[in-house]
Amino acid sequence: MTTDSPAGKSPPPGKRADARRNRETVLAAAAEVFVTSGVDAPIRQIAARAGVGMATIYRHFPTRADLVTAVYRHQIEACAEAGPNLLASADSPFDALREWIDLFVAFLVTKHGLADALQSDNDRFAALHDYFLDRLLPVCAELLEAAVEAGDIRPGTQPYELMRGIGNLCIGRDNDPRYDPRRLIALLLQGLRQPHAS
Amino acid sequence: MTTDSPAGKSPPPGKRADARRNRETVLAAAAEVFVTSGVDAPIRQIAARAGVGMATIYRHFPTRADLVTAVYRHQIEACAEAGPNLLASADSPFDALREWIDLFVAFLVTKHGLADALQSDNDRFAALHDYFLDRLLPVCAELLEAAVEAGDIRPGTQPYELMRGIGNLCIGRDNDPRYDPRRLIALLLQGLRQPHAS
DNA sequence: AAGTGAAGCGGAGCGATGCTCCACTTAGTA
DNA sequence: TACTAAGTGGAGCATCGCTCCGCTTCACTT
């Protein structure tokens, strides 16, 4: 189960050449469509852009979450891998946490509708939610724990709650000058901060 | 425009008796359906429950936002009116703000899908978003300002940003024991807090 | 090069939903 | 009672998710 079938995985080499080609075509088309129409774009639209039938998309990516996951897989991986690096390079665990959250937020806000989809109670996106959690929750937990141990922030915050809260704050129409999730997230981090014990 | 037609308004008395009766029937049916199926429930379902045709619903409530607004109007009003009262009765402006936010959150989390709808970029809900803002933003602004003047919280936070952030934090599947928006909101308020000037 | 079987493909089609249109019904009045 | 306009209901159209199945094409064998 966990080893060979879920979500996007890299192109399985055991498939026929035309199938592999189509998979890439669909991925490219989906990426383009997601930019303009959001991750909720009609499958028909993606199929049309890719010049394939809808069934082809459903065959390669059984659920919408699988497609979205495959499109953004590289960026999610990059975010996950940045965690330990930041912890090593930043001035403090708290700074590492803050910078990592910056990365996460930057990713979310540039993908139209991604944050919405992540938290939507729509079953279509459940697998996407799970994938984010599988990949990023441990990273967040590690950063959080390091910051707690360093005495930078107060203990007791659950990584899941923090990540979901951040995700939630990123929801909504893009480019509204009156609302910048980063400001609220900065406030949240401020509230998390431990007054340094003397 | 602003004076007589938008959103739900109280039952216009100039209508025919059966029309007024139907309006109430629809409102009651919608309230029931919203509880079980969320504010996104199919119009057909509400119409069936009310025993009327779909057109009847659309005639009384041209957009979904109008229907939702009408259903929750009383509670929104109550929340708006509680603001000044809390400011008068609480120990400090900051406490008043906190208690008011508690009220707001309690309202949001008990209405399945309401918070989602509020922030959704779906045009169907734009009027609902506007109504919330029209009614509650001034109240929030007043509380915020009072807390700033009392030196309880740091200045510079925009009421719109705060309200939308709180709304966003309330989004998602209900009753997830791993996620309680109140905890994060408490953190947010903590971050807002001004270390009391000596 | 031709043959063959299975992997892969496309799009018609079904069900759900939002919303509209218009022939029919009914409340209120004369 | 008869009339008329306000009110009503649901058929109908469009969109979208997802499936099903007959046709096409690849890759391998001889």
Side-chain angles (χ1 to χ4, degrees):
Chain A
M1 275 295 150
T2 325
T3 58
D4 65 44
S5 88
K9 277 289 176 194
S10 318
K15 300 300 178 117
R16 247 167 58 172
D18 56 342
R20 252 176 292 141
R21 212 176 321 127
N22 265 337
R23 189 182 190 279
E24 294 309 311
T25 307
V26 167
L27 234 29
E32 288 173 26
V33 171
F34 285 171
V35 170
T36 57
S37 306
V39 296
D40 242 331
I43 294 289
R44 272 172 174 75
Q45 189 180 337
I46 300 171
R49 166 85 73 137
V52 304
M54 283 184 302
T56 300
I57 295 184
Y58 280 110
R59 196 170 310 105
H60 286 292
F61 309 99
T63 75
R64 186 176 218 90
D66 294 326
L67 179 56
V68 177
T69 302
V71 167
Y72 295 129
R73 167 168 286 256
H74 287 101
Q75 291 178 70
I76 297 170
E77 289 308 309
C79 191
E81 284 161 18
N85 298 342
L86 285 172
L87 202 48
S89 69
D91 288 347
S92 71
F94 179 79
D95 279 339
L97 178 62
R98 179 164 47 200
E99 287 173 33
W100 184 76
I101 288 177
D102 269 353
L103 242 44
F104 183 48
V105 171
F107 171 59
L108 282 185
V109 299
T110 53
K111 312 302 173 223
H112 187 170
L114 220 207
D116 307 55
L118 264 185
Q119 310 298 350
S120 125
D121 50 6
N122 193 324
D123 291 341
R124 273 188 308 164
F125 288 114
L128 180 62
H129 186 258
D130 291 348
Y131 177 69
F132 262 82
L133 250 39
D134 280 358
R135 208 61 193 85
L136 298 181
L137 199 56
V139 179
C140 180
E142 184 187 345
L143 287 163
L144 210 48
E145 197 176 326
V148 167
E149 275 183 22
D152 287 347
I153 65 174
R154 73 183 76 201
T157 301
Q158 296 303 312
Y160 174 78
E161 196 157 62
L162 179 62
M163 281 207 60
R164 188 162 152 193
I166 291 169
N168 271 6
L169 286 174
C170 292
I171 290 178
R173 309 155 208 69
D174 310 327
N175 300 326
D176 183 339
R178 296 174 301 171
Y179 182 75
D180 180 356
R182 284 173 235 257
R183 285 197 289 259
L184 289 173
I185 290 168
L187 239 36
L188 205 56
L189 280 172
Q190 190 61 35
L192 218 48
R193 197 144 201 175
Q194 178 96 284
H196 249 129
S198 54
Chain B
M1 274 293 151
T2 326
T3 58
D4 65 44
S5 89
K9 278 290 177 191
S10 317
K15 299 302 177 110
R16 245 167 60 172
D18 57 341
R20 253 176 291 143
R21 212 177 321 128
N22 265 338
R23 189 183 190 278
E24 294 309 310
T25 307
V26 167
L27 234 29
E32 289 172 27
V33 170
F34 286 170
V35 169
T36 57
S37 306
V39 296
D40 242 329
I43 294 289
R44 273 174 174 77
Q45 190 180 337
I46 300 170
R49 166 83 73 136
V52 304
M54 283 183 302
T56 299
I57 295 184
Y58 280 109
R59 195 170 313 104
H60 287 291
F61 309 99
T63 75
R64 187 177 217 89
D66 294 326
L67 179 56
V68 176
T69 302
V71 167
Y72 294 130
R73 169 169 285 258
H74 287 101
Q75 291 177 70
I76 297 170
E77 288 307 310
C79 191
E81 284 162 18
N85 298 342
L86 285 173
L87 202 48
S89 68
D91 288 347
S92 71
F94 180 79
D95 280 338
L97 178 62
R98 179 164 48 202
E99 287 173 34
W100 184 76
I101 289 176
D102 270 352
L103 242 43
F104 183 49
V105 171
F107 171 58
L108 281 185
V109 300
T110 53
K111 312 303 171 224
H112 186 169
L114 219 207
D116 307 57
L118 264 185
Q119 309 299 349
S120 126
D121 49 7
N122 193 323
D123 291 340
R124 273 187 307 163
F125 288 114
L128 180 62
H129 186 257
D130 291 349
Y131 177 69
F132 262 81
L133 251 39
D134 279 359
R135 208 60 194 86
L136 298 181
L137 200 56
V139 179
C140 180
E142 184 187 345
L143 288 162
L144 211 47
E145 198 176 326
V148 168
E149 275 182 22
D152 287 347
I153 66 174
R154 72 182 76 200
T157 301
Q158 295 304 311
Y160 174 78
E161 196 156 61
L162 180 62
M163 280 206 59
R164 188 163 151 191
I166 291 169
N168 271 7
L169 286 174
C170 293
I171 290 178
R173 309 155 208 70
D174 310 328
N175 299 327
D176 183 340
R178 295 174 302 172
Y179 183 76
D180 180 357
R182 285 173 235 257
R183 284 197 289 260
L184 289 173
I185 289 168
L187 239 36
L188 205 56
L189 280 172
Q190 190 61 35
L192 218 48
R193 198 143 199 175
Q194 177 98 284
H196 249 128
S198 54

